[in-house]
Amino acid sequence: GNSVTQMEGPVTLSEEAFLTINCTYTATGYPSLFWYVQYPGEGLQLLLKATKADDKGSNKGFEATYRKETTSFHLEKGSVQVSDSAVYFCALLSSGGYNKLIFGAGTRLAVHP
Amino acid sequence: GAVVSQHPSWVICKSGTSVKIECRSLDFQATTMFWYRQFPKQSLMLMATSNEGSKATYEQGVEKDKFLINHASLTLSTLTVTSAHPEDSSFYICSAKLAGANQETQYFGPGTRLLVL
């Protein structure tokens, strides 16, 4: 079945450090891939998406590239800020009839000044 | 932006009691609402999908008689965990979607943490 696996957190970084959060997926067909972010006390928000292989999604300095050959969608940011501290969820939406979001477990990021 | 609230944010109850969690879309009408559950260190899992005025559609393995979902209006859905047991302790999240919107465009509530003693 469809599934998403993310690196286990927490990830702790100093401000201005480089961020990578790994995400791999298992799916039939050609899913769309997403990153959601949940700031403390708030609901998940769509951060970025990619709908086909080699697409790069980007938003707020974050990027992720849809790699079909490695079934990955790693999240990166060149220079993190304290305000980026949040939980990040990788997710997929299958291209088949199962039109539901499949989430990973989430990765908590803590950025210190 | 669209806001979804959940109440309560935290609830502790005794085993055998029922707990109701509310999910409200504050500034838009949600034709579809979703309920998710997340156990520690596990994935956020869809429990059920509800459309306003219709019975909810439950995912495989989710007991509909235990997790009662009511979506009586376009701004409110409730999840009632009946006869709660310690294994129901989890983080419950709702989300709402506008009619015709893409499936990924869901507006999520902040979640409700349930602890059953």
Side-chain angles (χ1 to χ4, degrees), chain A residues 36 49 98-100 103 105, chain B residues 38 43 46 59 103-104 109:
Chain A
Y36 287 81
K49 69 177 184 181
Y98 189 76
N99 192 31
K100 299 175 180 66
F103 287 92
Chain B
Q38 185 177 28
S43 301
L46 180 66
E59 295 300 301
Q103 194 73 351
E104 68 267 24

Side-chain angles (χ1 to χ4, degrees), chain A residues 4 8 34 36 38 41-46 49 89 93 98-101 103-106, chain B residues 36 38 41-46 49 59 91 93 102-111:
Chain A
V4 174
E8 197 170 323
F34 310 92
Y36 287 81
Q38 183 178 27
E42 300 182 13
L44 278 75
Q45 305 170 29
L46 181 61
K49 69 177 184 181
F89 291 87
L93 190 62
Y98 189 76
N99 192 31
K100 299 175 180 66
L101 284 170
F103 287 92
Chain B
Y36 296 84
Q38 185 177 28
K41 297 192 176 183
Q42 294 187 27
S43 301
L44 193 61
M45 299 292 292
L46 180 66
T49 302
E59 295 300 301
F91 191 51
I93 297 176
N102 292 334
Q103 194 73 351
E104 68 267 24
T105 310
Q106 298 179 26
Y107 300 98
F108 289 82

Side-chain angles (χ1 to χ4, degrees), chain A residues 5-64:
Chain A
T5 303
Q6 308 181 216
M7 63 187 287
E8 197 170 323
V11 173
T12 303
L13 294 173
S14 297
E15 206 164 22
E16 299 184 1
F18 184 86
L19 168 71
T20 299
I21 299 178
N22 291 337
C23 170
T24 57
Y25 67 90
T26 301
T28 54
Y30 303 95
S32 295
L33 302 173
F34 310 92
W35 277 100
Y36 287 81
V37 58
Q38 183 178 27
Y39 298 106
E42 300 182 13
L44 278 75
Q45 305 170 29
L46 181 61
L47 178 61
L48 54 83
K49 69 177 184 181
T51 57
K52 62 182 188 295
D54 299 325
D55 266 2
K56 178 185 284 188
S58 61
N59 186 22
K60 299 182 180 180
F62 291 89
E63 293 183 340

Side-chain angles (χ1 to χ4, degrees), chain B residues 1-6 23-31 33 73-76 95-99 105-109:
Chain B
V3 177
V4 173
S5 69
Q6 278 186 245
C23 176
R24 293 182 185 274
S25 57
L26 298 185
D27 50 3
F28 67 101
Q29 293 185 328
T31 52
M33 286 186 167
S73 79
L74 286 171
T75 59
L76 174 64
S95 70
K97 189 173 78 73
L98 290 159
T105 310
Q106 298 179 26
Y107 300 98
F108 289 82

